[in-house]
């Protein structure tokens, strides 16, 4: 008990220390650096939460049984969408600072004039607010309903979730595409790639899976997920493996097609990321986001091995942060910025996210005990 | 039951019965226990104590090998053996090699998985296995579950094995005789194979002979032959002179070239200097003039150069009224074709250099006959 | 403690229980008697009539291809700037049809979706036949088909190599790999079934053929162990392959700079479209097979229901892709992209664009209703619509993008000739001829795989088979 309290104090300390650094960043390193960091963590929080919610919705959509015993984990992780709302609303203040499309000059830019309305702050804000609201709706139906089912044991929730899941998929596609185009590719509004939404989706789903696997392993250590076996871990590992490959496939397809066609309005985006020290970051990203996890999980046994799965899950979360960093930070110009402002933001947000997850992990039962398919899920064997 | 049994089979009706029997039969330690089933039964590997299939490792190794082979092959061809730049991509552009690398990896890996399983691990095809000629095989591939006690040594006691299987719940038992171990490569079989190959060759040869003899040769894709085009060694019906290739129209300038002087000097009078009067052009003209012209025509173009006296030649005085009245084209013509004892400078000078000299000569002429307004331009 | 709570959870309410994967009582023996009997009985008269029709269609194709060889590619409607037309449209169309088989046999296998077992064999066979139809087109389009082996990189006296930076060469590798892997997958799956046929046939000739084909398969546990491992590995590899093949096909277009072709979303969107068209074809064939071969007890409405759900999902993914294409055409502020997209909805071939959109996006939406998903009328309507729509989608991508590119002086209208249609009809003839032959010669349902999911097929301590 005292240990958890110590951890909690430590995390609060990190948040406090980080907060100092965050404020210092605005004062000392300038608003651009501040907002770039802020958006990084907003996108991370958002993709993590939405990716987890997607896992939940996917289970209802295909009526999967094996994942019922671990469904509560992504459900709890999806609640990260709640703190994402204020952070996202604050992030709107970054739009005139970092997003060239929202500045008044855009109206005279040959490539931006036509879509200046789309990129302008008011419409940008409307889209973000709608996206966040739709996410909260999904959270309310899928997670709220599931938590309620713990006590009511009413199978009506399963009917409702199955009806809602296809609709949520449409919402999900819309929201993730908007977030990708607005918050990430909007930093270089001349650049366009119609696969970009799918790319961000792959990263979001992957981060949700990695966080789920990690929390499952931690709860198992605490002896809280009795009945979850290697077979369940195998499936989580398998998904993690498959979507590592999927992410790479999408990322490579986008890069290869742009590299091959060599059109100036497209390659400029990669040119920046392949110049100077950014080249190293790009190679690092390919290594950490694809090569390493691919070979770590390629064999059948490694997907069941809790030790390896845990390492890979940590790696994937780190790689996801690096991915977002790689998407955002090149717009600041010059080489990769990594110094005390980034560290303080990491302290502040990581501490906060961990505190939130620790709290969320106490919500409801550890398994959806009201779900009629729980028994079948527990009996699942490969 | 004969003592030379290869194995004794016990037939079971359900997978449950089979699974329950396995530990009992294994405990009898009478021989190697093997199961024959219509489909894969979950958990039977552990019950039989089988080792893990090494196929995964084999496939991984071969897959990696396939990737390396494909990447190396493509790189060697595209960057070393036949380096050619296509589409502006560098010789060793790895991005373009990834798709084929992936395909070859999958190809190597699947062939390892499929053929490795069949040939290496399961040692198929094998048509002479005793179980295939047993009575139970019909059940094995249909709906019966068979447990076999296979002889490990000469001391195999088939009667005891049968008893053990019955005790474990087998509804039927069957003893299999030892397999026929006669070698496949007998002289008879070799002769048959050779005869077969010979017969096939004869048939194929005859078929080829008559096919080419009886069927007229078709000319596919005839339209490529029948195009309205001039074939080699044929006269053109389109042009009067019968040539396929015609001389270019007079005054034609090849792409990337400047007009040049052909014909007489009078004809060249109409040529216009295409170069602009820029510092660079004058600098080129000056350099070329100093290197090639000055020794005869003199530094100011007055026809008094350092070689004039030595050779007794009389180079043109470019400052003379006659040459000051020349159009640019005639000076150019003289540079290209030479005049009197002056040789052609075309071999040494590129087209822009020749025209640059023309500009420079004009500058020399003007410098020697400067007017007031020229001075105004110079001092401005 | 949580486990107790779970086991005390109530029974699964009606409406959430999945219907059984077969109807009536099915035992391993009855399954063999039903499925493996087809090759041993005489086909009904309708089968011969159907074969006559498909053979006639195939003959039309053979004659059209022969005429093409005699005259040359000029027999087709291809012109400048539409150098690629029916040949590549049909190639992409047929390769795409094949993807459903690989999806069912590989991806759904990995997801342990048991409904795949009964239909996997048929879908895999259709994959192979579709790829056979597909490879015809590049071969006859190379102009000098007797030199088609120049496509392969081999050391030769010309000291020339193929160009590894060309997406068309990637196609050669992708399609060949795809065909080899599909064939291997199909054959491995067939081996235990052929062994069953070997052991039940009474005809000597059949026995000989099946004996050779089954390679002496005897169902040993040691063999099954490696077999299952190989099947799992093949499934994993084929999953990657199914993504890559149509991605590579999409690279033929997307690596270029032609407006309407150079789209980064092409790779996943082509894969989704391929699965979409393939599933439609499988549904069409399955409905006929189910009715004419009396397989209603094994291929149930649940199978068709799930297949139709996949079609619906793919339709939505296609809708997303179309939407993104349109959005990018505007968002890029690129007048060429914009013009290309407007051509699809308002240009000379605008009708083709609307056929595509309505057949692929609008009509399949009827499948949201369970009634439509389990009604022959609606599912056939959707399947035929999707087949037409997906063919026209390739027409839209290829012809509309090519006929008006960057140089307005080169713009020209493309018109296919009767020979083009003849070859297309011919491939349908070849495809369905092969399907008909397959249905009578080999086991149409993977009996071994279905046996493994029957009740009590697995030892009871493995109690996960109650809701098969």
């Amino acid at each position: 008990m005292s240990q958890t309290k110590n951890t909690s104090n430590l995390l609060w300390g990190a948040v406090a220390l980080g907060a100092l650094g965050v404020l210092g960043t605005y004062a000392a390193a300038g608003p651009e650096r501040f907002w770039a960091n802020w958006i990084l963590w907003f996108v991370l929080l958002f993709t993590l939460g939405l990716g987890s919610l997607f896992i939940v919705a996917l289970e209802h959509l295909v009526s999967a049984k094996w994942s019922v015993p671990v469904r509560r984990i992504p459900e709890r992780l999806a609640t990260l969408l709640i703190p994402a709302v204020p952070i996202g609303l604050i992030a709107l203040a970054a739009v005139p600072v970092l997003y060239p499309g929202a500045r008044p000059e855009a109206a005279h830019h040959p490539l931006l004039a036509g879509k200046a309305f789309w990129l302008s702050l008011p419409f940008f804000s409307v889209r973000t607010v709608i996206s966040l609201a739709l996410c909260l709706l999904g959270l309310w139906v899928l997670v709220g309903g599931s938590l309620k089912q713990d006590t009511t044991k009413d199978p009506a929730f399963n009917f409702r979730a199955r009806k809602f899941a296809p609709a949520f998929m449409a919402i999900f596609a819309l929201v993730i595409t908007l977030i990708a185009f607005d918050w990430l590719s909007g930093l270089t509004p001349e650049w366009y790639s119609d696969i970009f939404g799918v790319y961000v989706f792959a990263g979001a789903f992957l981060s949700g899976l990695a966080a789920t696997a990690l929390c499952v392993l931690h709860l198992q250590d605490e002896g809280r997920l009795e009945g979850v076996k290697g077979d369940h871990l195998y499936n989580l590992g398998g998904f993690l493996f498959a979507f590592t490959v999927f992410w790479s496939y999408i990322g490579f397809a986008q890069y290869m097609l742009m590299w091959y066609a060599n059109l100036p309005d497209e390659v400029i985006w990669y040119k920046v990321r392949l110049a100077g020290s950014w080249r190293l970051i790009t190679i690092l990203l390919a290594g950490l986001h694809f090569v390493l996890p691919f070979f770590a999980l390629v064999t059948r046994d490694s997907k069941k091995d809790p030790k390896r799965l845990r390492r890979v899950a940590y790696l994937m979360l780190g790689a996801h942060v690096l991915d977002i960093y790689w998407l955002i930070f090149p717009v600041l110009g010059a080489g990769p910025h990594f110094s005390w402002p980034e560290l303080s933001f990491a302290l502040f947000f990581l501490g906060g996210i961990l505190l939130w997850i620790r709290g969320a992990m106490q919500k409801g039962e550890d398994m959806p005990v009201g779900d009629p398919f729980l028994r079948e899920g527990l009996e699942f064997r490969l | 039951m004969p003592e030379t049994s290869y194995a004794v089979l016990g037939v079971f009706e359900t997978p449950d019965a089979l699974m329950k029997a396995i530990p009992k039969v294994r405990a009898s330690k009478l021989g190697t226990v093997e199961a024959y089933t219509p489909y894969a039964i979950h958990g039977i590997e552990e019950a039989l104590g089988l080792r893990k299939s090494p196929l995964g490792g084999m496939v991984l190794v071969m897959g990696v090998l396939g990737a390396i082979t494909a990447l190396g092959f493509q790189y060697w061809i595209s960057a070393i053996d036949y380096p050619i730049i296509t589409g502006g991509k560098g010789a060793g552009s790895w991005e373009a090699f990834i798709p084929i690398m992936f395909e070859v990896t999958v190809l190597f890996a699947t062939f390892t998985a499929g053929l490795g399983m069949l040939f290496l691990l399961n040692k198929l095809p094998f048509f002479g296995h005793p179980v295939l000629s047993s009575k139970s095989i019909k059940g094995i591939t249909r709906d019966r579950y068979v447990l076999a006690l296979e002889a490990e040594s000469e001391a195999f006691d088939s009667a005891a094995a049968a008893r053990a299987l019955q005790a474990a719940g087998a509804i039927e038992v069957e003893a299999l005789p030892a397999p026929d171990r006669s070698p496949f490569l007998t002289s008879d079989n070799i002769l048959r194979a050779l005869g077969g190959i010979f017969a096939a060759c004869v048939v194929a040869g005859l078929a080829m002979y008559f096919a080419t003899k009886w069927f007229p040769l078709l000319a596919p894709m005839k339209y490529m032959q029948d195009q309205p085009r001039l074939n080699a060694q044929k006269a053109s019906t389109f042009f009067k002179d019968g040539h396929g290739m015609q001389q270019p129209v007079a005054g034609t300038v090849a792409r990337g070239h400047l007009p040049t002087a052909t014909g007489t000097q009078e004809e060249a009078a109409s040529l216009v200097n295409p170069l602009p009067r820029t510092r660079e052009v004058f600098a080129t003209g000056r350099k070329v003039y100093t290197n090639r012209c000055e020794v005869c025509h003199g530094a100011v173009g007055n026809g008094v150069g350092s070689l004039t006296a030595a050779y007794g030649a009389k180079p043109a005085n470019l400052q003379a009224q006659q040459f000051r009245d020349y159009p640019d084209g005639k000076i150019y013509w003289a540079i290209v074709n030479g005049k009197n004892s002056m040789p052609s400078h075309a071999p040494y000078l590129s087209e822009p250099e020749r025209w640059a000299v023309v500009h420079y000569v004009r500058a020399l002429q003007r410098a020697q006959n400067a007017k007031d307004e020229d001075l105004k331009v110079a001092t401005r | 403690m949580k486990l107790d709570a779970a086991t005390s959870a109530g029974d699964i309410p009606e409406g959430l229980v999945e219907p059984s994967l077969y109807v009536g009582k099915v035992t391993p023996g009855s399954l063999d008697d039903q499925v493996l009997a087809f090759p041993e009985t005489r086909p009904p008269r309708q089968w011969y009539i159907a074969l006559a029709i498909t053979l006639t269609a195939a003959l039309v194709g053979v004659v059209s291809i022969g005429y093409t060889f005699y005259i040359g590619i000029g027999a087709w409607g291809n012109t400048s700037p539409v150098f690629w037309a029916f040949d590549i449209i049909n190639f992409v169309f047929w390769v795409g049809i094949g993807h459903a088989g690989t999806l069912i046999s590989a991806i759904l296998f990995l997801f342990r979706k048991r409904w795949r077992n009964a239909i996997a064999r048929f879908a895999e066979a259709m994959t192979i036949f579709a790829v056979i139809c597909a490879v015809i087109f590049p071969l006859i389009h190379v102009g000098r088909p007797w030199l088609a082996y120049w496509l392969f990189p081999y050391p030769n006296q010309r000291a020339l190599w193929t160009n590894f930076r060309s997406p068309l060469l990637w196609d050669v590798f992708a399609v060949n790999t795809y065909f080899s892997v599909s064939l291997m997958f199909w054959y491995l799956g067939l081996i235990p079934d052929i062994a069953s046929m070997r052991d039940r046939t009474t005809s000597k000739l059949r026995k000989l053929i099946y004996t050779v084909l089954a390679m002496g398969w005897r169902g040993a546990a040691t063999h099954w162990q490696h077999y299952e491992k190989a099947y799992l590995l093949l499934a994993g590899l084929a999953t990657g392959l199914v993504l890559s093949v149509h991605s590579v096909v999409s690279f033929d277009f997307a690596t270029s700079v032609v407006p309407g072709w150079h789209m980064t979303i092409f790779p996943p969107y082509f894969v989704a479209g391929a699965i979409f068209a393939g599933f439609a074809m499988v549904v069409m064939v399955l409905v006929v097979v189910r009715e004419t071969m009396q397989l209603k007890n094994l291929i149930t409405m649940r199978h068709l229901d799930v297949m139709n759900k996949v079609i619906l999902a793919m339709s939505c993914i296609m809708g997303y892709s179309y939407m993104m294409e349109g959005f990018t055409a505007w968002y890029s502020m690129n007048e060429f992209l914009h013009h290309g997209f407007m051509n699809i909805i308002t240009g000379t071939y605008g009708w083709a664009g609307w056929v595509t959109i309505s057949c692929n996006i609008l009509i399949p939406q009827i499948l949201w209703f369970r009634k439509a998903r389990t009604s022959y009328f609606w599912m056939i309507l959707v399947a035929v619509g999707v087949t037409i729509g997906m063919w026209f989608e390739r027409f839209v991508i290829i012809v509309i993008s090519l006929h008006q590119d960057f140089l307005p002086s080169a713009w020209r209208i493309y018109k296919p000739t009767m020979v083009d249609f003849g070859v297309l009809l011919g491939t349908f003839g070849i495809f369905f001829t092969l399907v008909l032959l397959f249905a009578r010669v080999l086991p149409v349902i993977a009996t071994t795989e279905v046996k493994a999911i029957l009740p009590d097929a697995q030892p009871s301590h493995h109690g996960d088979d109650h809701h098969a």
Side-chain angles (χ1 to χ4, degrees), chain A residues 270-345:
Chain A
Y270 279 107
K271 191 98 187 148
V272 172
R273 283 161 180 80
L274 287 172
S277 14
W278 274 111
R279 191 185 188 85
L280 280 178
I281 302 278
T282 308
I283 294 168
L284 195 69
L285 180 67
L288 295 183
H289 214 306
F290 171 58
V291 182
L292 211 57
F294 177 85
F295 283 102
L297 287 181
V298 71
T299 64
R300 197 179 153 88
D301 291 340
S302 59
K303 297 187 188 92
K304 276 184 188 172
D305 178 5
K307 222 181 195 171
R308 182 172 292 198
L309 200 58
R310 181 181 311 225
R311 283 185 198 153
V312 173
Y314 274 122
L315 172 70
M316 290 318 298
L317 286 173
H320 183 55
V321 177
L322 185 66
D323 186 17
I324 305 172
Y325 177 77
W326 180 81
L327 292 173
I328 294 175
F329 272 64
V331 296
L332 291 184
H337 297 276
F338 189 81
S339 175
W340 62 270
E342 283 67 36
L343 280 175
S344 5
F345 268 85

Side-chain angles (χ1 to χ4, degrees), chain A residues 16 25 32 66 196 204 222 288 375:
Chain A
T25 305
E32 291 201 355
W66 70 269
F196 196 67
E222 295 175 19
L288 295 183
R375 187 189 318 194

Side-chain angles (χ1 to χ4, degrees), chain A residues 62-63 65 111 114-115 118-119 155 158-159 162 166 173 177 181 185 189 191-195 197-198 226 234-235 239 249-250 253-254 256-258 260-261 263 265-266 300 365-366 369 371-376 378-379 381-382, chain C residues 1-3 5-7 9-16 18 111-113 165-167 170 229 232 243 247 251 254-257 262-265 267-268 271 320 324-325 327-328 330-334 337 368 461-464 467:
Chain A
V62 303
S63 32
K65 311 287 169 8
L111 282 174
K115 51 181 170 180
W118 173 273
L119 297 168
N158 294 67
F159 286 101
R162 283 190 190 185
T177 311
F181 271 80
S185 95
W191 183 78
Y192 56 91
S193 165
D194 39 14
I195 208 178
V198 183
E226 199 185 327
Y234 176 83
N235 269 9
F239 263 101
Y249 159 68
I250 298 293
Q254 177 179 288
M256 209 269 283
L257 292 178
M258 294 194 168
Y260 209 113
L263 294 174
D265 48 352
E266 290 181 347
R300 197 179 153 88
E365 302 283 341
D366 284 339
V369 289
D371 193 304
F373 291 107
L374 181 57
R375 187 189 318 194
E376 204 178 326
L378 284 167
E379 283 168 359
R381 267 163 213 266
L382 287 174
Chain C
M1 139 210 128
K2 293 280 143 44
L3 205 57
T7 40
D11 284 331
I12 294 162
E14 208 167 321
L16 288 178
E18 284 164 0
F111 280 113
R112 288 175 210 81
K113 290 287 170 201
R165 289 176 218 103
S166 160
W170 305 348
K229 182 84 188 172
L232 185 72
L243 277 184
S247 300
F251 290 161
T255 52
S256 74
V257 295
H262 181 63
M263 296 276 180
T264 45
I265 205 167
V271 175
Y320 175 82
M324 286 314 292
E325 264 190 58
F327 175 72
T328 312
W330 170 80
Y331 183 81
S332 65
M333 291 290 137
N334 180 325
L337 276 184
W368 282 107
H461 71 242
H462 249 275
D464 54 343
H467 313 287

Side-chain angles (χ1 to χ4, degrees), chain B residues 84-102:
Chain B
I84 184 166
I85 305 294
T86 48
K89 307 297 176 229
S93 44
W94 61 271
E95 290 94 338
F97 302 156
I98 297 287
I100 291 184
M101 189 191 86
F102 179 82

Side-chain angles (χ1 to χ4, degrees), chain A residues 55-56 58-60 62-75 146 149-150 157-158 162 212 216 225-228 232 235-236 365-380, chain C residues 6 9 12 16:
Chain A
I55 298 173
V56 177
L58 194 63
E59 180 192 302
H60 293 301
V62 303
S63 32
K65 311 287 169 8
W66 70 269
S67 59
V68 175
V70 295
R71 193 182 74 215
R72 188 49 46 84
I73 312 299
E75 278 174 358
S146 174
Q149 199 190 25
D150 280 359
F157 164 71
N158 294 67
R162 283 190 190 185
T212 302
V216 167
L225 283 176
E226 199 185 327
V228 172
H232 296 97
N235 269 9
L236 280 175
E365 302 283 341
D366 284 339
M367 286 184 194
V369 289
D371 193 304
F373 291 107
L374 181 57
R375 187 189 318 194
E376 204 178 326
L378 284 167
E379 283 168 359
F380 165 76
Chain C
I12 294 162
L16 288 178

